Amino acid sequence: MTRLSKRGSTKPPGNVGYWKRNLVYLTILLSIWALVSFGFSILLVEPLNRIRWGGFKLGFWFAQQGAMYVFVVLIFVYVRLMNRLDRDYDVDERDDS
Amino acid sequence: MSVQSWTFIMVATSFALYIGVAIWSRAKSTGDFYVAGGNVSPVVNGLATAAGWMSAASFISMAGLIAFMGRDGSVYLMGWTGGYVLLALLLAPYLRKFGKYTVPDFVGDRYYSQVARVVAVICAIFVSFTYVAGQMRGVGIVFSRFIGVSIETGVVIGMGIVFFYAVLGGMKGITYTQVAQYCVLIFAFLVPAIFISLLLTGNPIPQLGFGSTLSDGSGVYLLDRLDGLGQELGFAAYTDGQKGTLDVLFITAALMVGTAGLPHVIVRFYTVPKVWQARSSAGWALLFIALLYTTAPAVAAFARANLLTTVSNQPYSDVPAWFSNWEATGLIQFDDKNGDGLIQYTGPRSDIPNELTIDRDIMVLANPEIANLPAWVTGLVAAGGLAAALSTAAGLLLVIATSVAHDLFKNSFRSDISEKTELRIARITVGFAVVVSGYLGIHPPGFVGEVVALAFGLAAASFFPAILLGIFTKRMNSYGAVSGMIAGITFTTLYIAYFKFLYPELNSADHWWLGISPEGIGTVGMLLNFAVSGVVAWLTPPPPVEIQRFVEEIRVPRKLA
């Protein structure tokens, strides 16, 4: 995929490419979201519980701790990715807008 | 100093703080009143969102609930946090770009339909009233247990405080008092948790102490001890699940999607100036929420271990002082069925009948006493419980006021009213809503607990699909969205009403459809909404060109040329 102009260009913003890339990010991040919550913590909890992680059974740890840590990280990763994407496609809000 | 004087000092100081903040942040315009002028910073908005989200139930009841549910308690932990990922990625940035005041604003504008707007307003008001009644009750209970006034007096004091800063400051006043309330409630939750973690496991961080060995010299992991003790007494192992897998899946999904669709949460993202700030304030909000939510399961395990080791099979004559204190409130009940003078606390798989009944709220409220912590900690917990209840109540009351003044009055009936009149109507509505919710707190209708499932189910089955489809598909039209919302709401309401009100005796896994409990049915309602919306939109003409243009506009942060 070709990145469009950097800031300062007079071309109209490449909304189609911007939106497609956004959807790719969403698909990847929400797959991880579903994997740690519905996957590791619910559907796969029994097999994972056979693995010990210190005093925790791994499936139980994901259900009551791990999934929540991953959720927080996912949002901040999304914020970084999107801030960069906004700049690359020159659609970020300027201070005067 | 006694527990009571400490409690009084802590509560009075925190209330003085909230009033001071409210006077400093008065609202001057409808923009101030509805969205705090739209210039709140992401971290401040994250703090306010976290305080508004964590209610009396999160603060007081959740850890106790998990202590009795074991691993199944994770439906609340993941359900009430995972929704923020959906909010941040799928809703918040686009609603911020849209940039008006309310959820019904978006639904009404995107679907160019007064019917859609009115359906959304009714859902918003219903969901918020359901919630706020529970909060007022929580305020009353904390007052009566810790300060010794009646529940009624407690509710009236709580009403007075909320009335003062919600009517005066609107969203602006609420935002800054919520920041103060977050600080009070998180401090009040963490201090006892850290003390108890140190006491039980020698590790000051509850999240790690949870997985550490006990400090009694046995070298056994806390969770292994809990599994073993529980099974000996006829309970399921703490780290095992009891609910069906499909049910756990559906409840978790319903709570997640419901969270993302709750109007008092969504409206917070209208208060930041820019799209990137809407994204990042969802991250801050979840970080601040996770601080309490990752501590709660540790508190649950500690409390459970304390209960099983200090009370079970002990002679009733020498129980610790906290046991007798809370027995006086009726929250602990002991019935010596076999007359041997010992407390038999047993689970459903044991042959020995259980003699002990414990209210789940005790686990957090009595924690400082169980762990022999100083009196000021108990006072702090009382102030924290009040902060949690008041901050949530204020946010909900504002949604009700905005819905009535802005969505119903201004946008549905009388578009010609001036801003000044609109602001006055909003203030009067807040005042009225405070009084109604206070009344519901003093005379709680028996169904308050039951309808919380309905609040989440309705948010999941109505707002979430309508907003999501409105952003991610240009083809979705008003026919599709309205019929989808109505199908989702009707199905969810009927299913919950059937098992909760009409035939409560049938409310068990054997009778549920596919083993899905009323708590999890919102997920099915949401899927139904998506399906109906899709089919109806496909059979009817696409939305007008200007609406498709509107969708393109909200998808990018900057205003299009």
Side-chain angles (χ1 to χ4, degrees), chain A residues 7-9 11-15 18-19 22-23 25-30 33-34 36-39 41-46 49 52-57 59-76 78-84 86-87 89-97, chain B residues 66 70-74 77-79 81-86 88-90 93-94 96-97 207-208 210-212 221 223-224 227 237-241 245-246 248-249 252-253 256-257 273-277 279-284 286-287 290 293-295 297-298 471-472 552 555-561:
Chain A
R7 178 179 282 244
S9 158
K11 273 201 232 166
N15 289 329
Y18 173 84
W19 190 245
N22 178 17
L23 294 181
Y25 290 161
L26 290 183
T27 311
I28 295 169
L29 295 173
L30 288 177
W33 168 81
V36 294
S37 53
F38 302 127
S41 303
I42 298 175
L43 296 172
L44 300 172
V45 65
E46 295 301 341
N49 269 350
R52 297 284 304 205
W53 203 66
F56 290 109
K57 292 171 178 167
F60 177 84
W61 181 80
F62 265 109
Q64 298 214 337
Q65 295 277 303
M68 291 185 279
Y69 298 132
V70 175
F71 294 158
V72 175
V73 173
L74 282 176
I75 298 184
F76 282 106
Y78 169 76
V79 172
R80 277 194 78 105
L81 287 173
M82 289 308 286
N83 285 349
R84 208 173 59 198
D86 288 351
R87 277 196 303 277
Y89 279 88
D90 197 25
V91 293
D92 54 328
E93 283 167 295
R94 291 179 179 150
D95 288 332
D96 53 75
S97 65
Chain B
I66 299 169
R71 193 183 79 203
D72 286 339
S74 60
L77 295 168
M78 289 192 292
T81 54
Y84 279 84
V85 179
L86 298 175
L89 273 58
L90 301 176
Y94 310 108
R96 170 56 245 167
K97 176 65 195 296
Q207 286 84 343
L208 300 177
F210 192 20
S212 302
Y221 284 114
L223 288 169
D224 291 341
D227 280 353
Y238 191 77
T239 55
D240 273 353
T245 302
L246 189 71
V248 171
L249 202 66
T252 308
M256 283 175 169
V257 177
K274 290 185 191 305
V275 171
W276 72 265
Q277 291 165 322
R279 296 178 192 135
S280 83
S281 60
W284 290 111
L286 185 57
L287 182 71
Y293 270 60
T294 54
T295 310
I471 297 163
F472 286 85
E552 271 176 24
R555 284 180 179 182
V556 289
R558 187 190 301 170
K559 205 166 168 50
L560 291 179

